[in-house]
């Protein structure tokens, strides 16, 4: 099972808007060398994006960076490029042949990934597996109806293929969107797309991964070298390691209170909705929070256990791991009587190349959650920049990033709901 360890510093730094921002720093990689073999990190990363986005260079940069930190790095080749180099020409295929090709491509990807995932699981080092594109990329080249038919014919479901299979998805935006002067077809003989087609494929690829719990979009707002460093930094942050001063990035979670009701679905760009339930567990130490999360679609679920411990010096150490359904049911028996279950729908969508999550709180839950809407994103943008990128179809009341009244633990407290806090 994979796990993530973070240290969260409660900083007094303020944005230009006057709000405080919690800064997340991770445990230094040197401390990982003392982990026991059963605690070794095995991290499955998808590197995806539109044509000419930097995936090939990005894979090399990530490999070098993590190998220098003592990781074993496996690189799963892009299956489509392998098949195209064998004489397949997508433009020559009929619609039916294209769909069948994508179906078989997914099967090839599953087989290739299985070989590398098996090697990684037995590795004695911390290990990262970089997948040059992931299974959901295939859906970007098919109609929704064709993709649904492929899933049905093979007994696959998107929660398993998208959410449970990979720890993180990094989407590199094509140079055709924001760095047009650098877009070219010379670096890859299989690349034939013009600017408009490249932008469309980039959009479709990003939307194919909507709903993955840990997706990061790296745009072209900086020069290419900085883009690569931002990419590496977001992988470090998600894994939970501290690269020290080798990378300059300040990604943080930003949250906004939204005025209800939820706009009609037609107001949103393409999105994915997920049902979520969060339960807090009994702990013997008041400085330790333990919670379970269930997340899924169409009665297909993924499960997570999170432990957050408050240490001296206003730090919080966070341990997060995926668990199986039977472990979830066993641990649920330890549910705290002093907390309600938090039930919500999480709507995931892209807007101006920023990945947003809108939490729509549901009944049954606390009265404090009735009608509550909270928008959040991870961003390196300044407060002023992210404000300009907020979806205009949502009525933003104010930023609540560091407002403890809107953290999940406070919202779930029965005493707070009864007006005791």
């Amino acid at each position: 099972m994979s796990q993530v360890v973070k240290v969260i510093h409660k900083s007094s730094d303020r944005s230009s808007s006057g709000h405080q921002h919690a800064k997340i720093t991770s445990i230094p990689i040197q401390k990982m060398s003392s982990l026991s073999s059963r605690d070794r990190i095995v991290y499955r990363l998808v590197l995806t994006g539109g044509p000419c986005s930097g995936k090939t260079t990005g894979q090399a940069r990530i490999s070098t960076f993590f190998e220098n930190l003592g990781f074993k790095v496996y690189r799963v080749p892009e299956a489509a490029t392998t098949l195209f180099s064998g004489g397949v020409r997508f433009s020559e295929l009929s619609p039916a042949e294209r769909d069948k090709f994508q179906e078989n491509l997914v099967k090839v990807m599953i087989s290739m990934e299985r070989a590398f995932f098996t090697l990684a699981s037995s590795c004695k080092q911390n290990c990262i597996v970089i997948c040059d594109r992931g299974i959901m990329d295939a859906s970007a080249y098919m109609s929704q109806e064709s993709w649904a038919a492929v899933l049905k014919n093979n007994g696959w479901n998107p929660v398993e293929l998208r959410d449970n299979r990979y720890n993180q998805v990094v989407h590199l935006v094509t140079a055709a969107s924001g760095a047009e002067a650098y877009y070219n077809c010379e670096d890859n003989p299989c690349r034939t797309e013009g600017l408009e087609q490249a932008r469309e494929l980039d959009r479709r690829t990003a939307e194919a991964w909507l709903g993955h719990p840990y997706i990061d979009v790296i745009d072209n707002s900086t020069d290419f070298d900085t883009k690569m460093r931002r990419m590496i930094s977001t992988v470090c942050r998600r894994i939970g390691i501290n690269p020290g001063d080798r990378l300059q990035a300040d990604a943080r979670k930003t949250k906004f209170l939204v005025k209800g009701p939820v706009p009609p679905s037609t107001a949103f760009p393409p999105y994915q909705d997920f049902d979520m339930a969060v339960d807090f567990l009994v702990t013997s130490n008041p400085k330790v929070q333990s919670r379970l999360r269930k997340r899924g679609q169409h009665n297909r679920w993924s499960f997570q256990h999170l432990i957050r411990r408050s240490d001296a010096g206003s730090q919080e150490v966070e341990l997060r791991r995926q668990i199986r359904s039977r472990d979830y049911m066993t641990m649920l028996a330890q549910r705290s009587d002093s907390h309600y279950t938090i039930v919500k729908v999480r709507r995931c969508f892209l807007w101006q190349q920023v990945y947003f999550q809108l939490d729509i709180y549901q009944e049954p839950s606390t009265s404090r959650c009735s009608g509550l809407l909270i928008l959040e994103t991870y961003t390196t943008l300044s407060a002023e920049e992210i404000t300009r990128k907020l979806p205009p179809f949502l009525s933003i009341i104010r930023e609540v990033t560091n407002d403890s009244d809107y953290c999940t633990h406070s919202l779930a407290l029965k005493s707070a709901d009864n007006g005791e806090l």
Side-chain angles (χ1 to χ4, degrees):
M1 295 181 186
S2 61
Q3 59 185 22
V4 176
V5 184
K6 296 180 182 176
V7 178
I8 305 175
H9 299 273
K10 296 178 179 176
S11 171
S12 60
D13 292 350
R14 293 180 180 271
S15 67
S16 59
S17 64
H19 295 298
Q20 290 182 329
H21 289 301
K23 288 189 175 180
I24 298 179
T25 311
S26 307
I27 292 178
I29 188 64
Q30 289 82 357
K31 293 186 179 181
M32 291 188 175
S33 61
S34 63
L35 294 175
S36 65
S37 59
R38 68 179 180 178
D39 292 326
R40 296 298 183 193
I41 294 172
V42 176
Y43 200 74
R44 301 175 179 184
L45 170 70
V46 170
L47 198 59
T48 186
C52 194
S53 59
K55 293 189 297 297
T56 302
T57 302
Q59 188 179 66
R61 294 277 188 96
I62 293 173
S63 297
T64 300
F65 184 88
F66 281 94
E67 284 170 351
N68 288 340
L69 293 181
F71 273 67
K72 175 63 180 177
V73 179
Y74 288 114
R75 296 170 292 277
V76 184
E78 184 181 14
T81 297
T82 301
L83 296 180
F84 289 148
S85 65
V88 177
R89 294 291 180 268
F90 205 64
S91 59
E92 298 174 357
L93 304 179
S94 69
E97 288 174 329
R98 292 181 183 184
D99 289 348
K100 194 62 180 178
F101 174 82
Q102 293 296 339
E103 181 176 3
N104 287 325
L105 176 63
V106 171
K107 293 177 181 178
V108 171
M109 294 172 71
I110 289 174
S111 181
M112 292 174 64
E113 290 177 357
R114 183 185 298 119
F116 286 95
F117 291 166
T118 301
L119 284 172
S121 66
S122 61
C123 183
K124 298 185 182 303
Q125 300 170 248
N126 289 323
C127 185
I128 181 170
V129 182
I130 309 171
C131 301
D132 190 341
R133 296 194 177 276
I135 289 173
M136 295 303 294
D137 281 68
S139 67
Y141 296 82
M142 307 173 67
S143 67
Q144 292 184 357
E145 294 75 17
S146 295
W147 177 243
V150 167
L151 295 177
K152 181 178 180 181
N153 293 340
N154 291 276
W156 297 329
N157 71 82
V159 172
E160 290 298 326
L161 295 182
R162 179 191 58 225
D163 303 348
N164 293 339
R165 190 174 185 84
Y166 311 102
N167 297 96
Q168 181 186 2
V169 177
V170 174
H171 179 94
L172 299 173
V173 174
T174 175
S177 181
E180 291 81 358
Y182 298 95
Y183 182 81
N184 69 79
C185 298
E186 299 171 2
D187 297 337
N188 188 337
C190 298
R191 182 183 302 146
T192 59
E193 301 87 359
L195 284 173
E196 287 303 322
Q197 187 179 6
R199 293 176 186 133
E200 175 64 12
L201 287 174
D202 188 89
R203 181 189 65 80
R204 290 173 62 90
T205 302
E207 290 176 356
W209 291 98
L210 282 178
H212 189 282
Y214 304 109
I215 181 171
D216 293 277
V217 179
I218 312 298
D219 62 16
N220 297 300
S221 58
T222 60
D223 61 72
F224 185 73
D225 188 61
T226 304
K227 180 180 182 180
M228 293 293 98
R229 286 189 282 116
R230 288 161 55 210
M231 170 196 67
I232 296 172
S233 180
T234 196
V235 176
C236 287
R237 172 172 55 82
R238 294 292 191 186
I239 292 180
I241 65 173
N242 184 0
D245 58 2
R246 280 170 284 188
L247 300 172
Q248 296 296 322
D250 189 25
R252 67 191 186 279
K253 179 188 286 188
T254 307
K255 299 166 62 175
F256 297 89
L257 183 63
V258 179
K259 182 179 180 180
V262 181
S265 59
T266 53
F268 287 83
Y271 63 84
Q272 291 284 330
D273 278 351
F274 292 83
D275 298 313
M276 294 180 63
V278 178
D279 284 283
F280 285 85
L281 306 182
V282 174
T283 62
S284 57
N285 186 338
K287 293 185 177 181
V288 174
Q289 287 183 22
S290 179
R291 71 177 76 172
L292 294 174
R293 189 183 78 169
K294 181 174 74 168
R295 179 182 188 274
Q297 290 177 310
H298 313 302
N299 209 31
R300 299 282 188 171
W301 304 97
S302 60
F303 305 92
Q304 189 179 85
H305 180 218
L306 182 146
I307 297 175
R308 181 174 292 168
R309 185 180 72 250
S310 298
D311 289 338
S314 346
Q315 294 185 359
E316 291 180 348
V317 178
E318 185 177 289
L319 174 65
R320 180 187 301 146
R321 64 190 179 100
Q322 295 292 119
I323 58 176
R324 294 170 295 183
S325 59
R326 64 182 182 184
D327 297 323
Y328 172 83
M329 295 306 298
T330 298
M331 298 173 72
L332 198 58
Q334 305 168 34
R335 185 165 38 199
S336 169
D337 290 334
S338 61
H339 294 81
Y340 292 108
T341 298
I342 294 293
V343 181
K344 58 188 176 182
V345 171
R346 172 161 288 179
R347 178 163 295 182
C348 307
F349 60 94
L350 285 164
W351 183 260
Q352 294 193 47
Q353 298 178 351
V354 178
Y355 185 69
F356 287 102
Q357 298 179 147
L358 177 65
D359 284 345
I360 307 166
Y361 287 78
Q362 307 288 301
E363 297 292 343
S365 193
T366 72
S367 61
R368 299 170 67 233
C369 293
S370 179
L372 183 64
L373 303 175
I374 294 181
L375 181 73
E376 70 175 49
T377 184
Y378 270 97
T379 183
T380 58
L381 299 175
S382 68
E384 182 179 351
E385 290 172 325
I386 192 61
T387 298
R388 289 199 297 265
K389 286 182 174 286
L390 291 176
F393 48 85
L394 295 178
S395 179
I396 306 298
I397 299 175
R398 61 186 174 91
E399 184 181 343
V400 293
T401 305
N402 293 285
D403 190 332
S404 60
D405 287 342
Y406 293 97
C407 74
T408 305
H409 186 266
S410 295
L411 290 171
L413 276 173
K414 292 183 178 179
S415 57
D417 197 43
N418 294 329
E420 296 178 20
L421 292 183

